[in-house]
Amino acid sequence: MTDKELSRMMEQSAEEGRRALFDEYCGYVYAICANKLKGCGSPEDTDECLSDTFAAVFRYLESHNAADGDLKGLIGTIAKRTAVSYFRRLSAKNDTTVSLESETVGELSSDIRVDESAELSALRETVLDCIKNLGEPDSSIIVYFYYYGLKTKQIAALVGLSDIAVQKRLSRSRKKLRELLSAAGITEEGSQ
């Protein structure tokens, strides 16, 4: 559906136009929000960011003419700004700063093991490299399913495939990923 068709639909019926706009750009906005919030937000935070983005888009479109420019660009900009705002808020909650006056500056907490942390980081990097080697849309399907905990129907909407196609691709991708991880020296128990 083109931007002009969406604008026309919104002029005829605001509710139907909003629904069509949401359906058209939901996957795009979700990908932006999920990308900006990875590592600091939960799937619920991503969903909330998605909702707030569309609320901001709808507020903007009420006071501006949607046909004036690129709707995808506008939605992308609002999504990025909303996600960055969420990221800052979530990061502030998780901030662990140390006072310069603290006597423990420069000391590591006794429960932090640098060698284990480095090994875990290397393991994660290897796993992500193997996932990237699956190619699109398989790598996205794996990430959405395992990292973001989405259901196959939700993934199907994001990647533009049927639910059954996503299930088949997920099954094949798991097998191929096992082979790639095994070739990289990672066994199912998680040891290298």
Side-chain angles (χ1 to χ4, degrees):
M1 184 172 289
T2 67
D3 290 353
K4 288 184 181 185
E5 291 172 335
L6 283 170
S7 296
R8 205 172 315 116
M9 188 177 281
M10 290 181 85
E11 288 172 4
Q12 292 171 354
S13 170
E15 189 173 329
E16 287 181 29
R18 286 179 179 171
R19 172 57 54 198
L21 181 82
F22 180 84
D23 291 344
E24 183 75 21
Y25 288 105
C26 180
Y28 174 64
V29 171
Y30 187 89
I32 292 170
C33 294
N35 186 36
K36 296 286 183 195
L37 297 179
K38 71 179 169 194
C40 79
S42 67
E44 290 80 20
D45 293 323
T46 304
D47 290 342
E48 190 177 323
C49 183
L50 175 88
S51 297
D52 286 353
T53 297
F54 277 102
V57 167
F58 296 147
R59 278 192 307 272
Y60 179 87
L61 292 176
E62 284 176 5
S63 61
H64 296 81
N65 188 358
D68 287 347
D70 179 28
L71 195 55
K72 185 175 183 176
L74 169 73
I75 292 171
T77 300
I78 292 173
K80 287 174 190 166
R81 290 179 181 171
T82 304
V84 167
S85 176
Y86 265 77
F87 178 83
R88 287 181 181 149
R89 189 167 14 124
L90 292 169
S91 295
K93 286 181 186 177
N94 300 330
D95 194 13
T96 55
T97 57
V98 177
S99 168
L100 292 176
E101 286 78 36
S102 172
E103 294 178 18
T104 60
V105 172
E107 296 178 18
L108 290 174
S109 172
S110 62
D111 62 340
I112 297 175
R113 301 256 328 189
V114 175
D115 57 336
E116 289 177 6
S117 178
E119 187 176 316
L120 186 58
S121 178
L123 179 65
R124 285 184 184 139
E125 191 173 318
T126 303
V127 170
L128 286 174
D129 285 343
C130 289
I131 290 171
K132 287 179 186 174
N133 287 336
L134 293 173
E136 287 298 333
D138 296 341
S139 59
S140 293
I141 291 170
I142 290 285
V143 169
Y144 287 141
F145 189 79
Y146 288 104
Y147 283 78
Y148 295 111
L150 298 181
K151 306 278 188 229
T152 55
K153 286 185 180 183
Q154 295 170 308
I155 297 168
L158 292 172
V159 297
L161 297 171
S162 70
D163 184 32
I164 293 172
V166 169
Q167 290 173 14
K168 286 180 182 179
R169 283 185 168 273
L170 186 59
S171 177
R172 289 183 200 140
S173 296
R174 283 184 193 126
K175 183 179 179 185
K176 187 174 178 183
L177 185 58
R178 263 190 225 104
E179 293 169 0
L180 291 170
L181 290 172
S182 179
I186 299 174
T187 63
E188 288 193 40
E189 291 83 32
S191 60
Q192 279 189 327

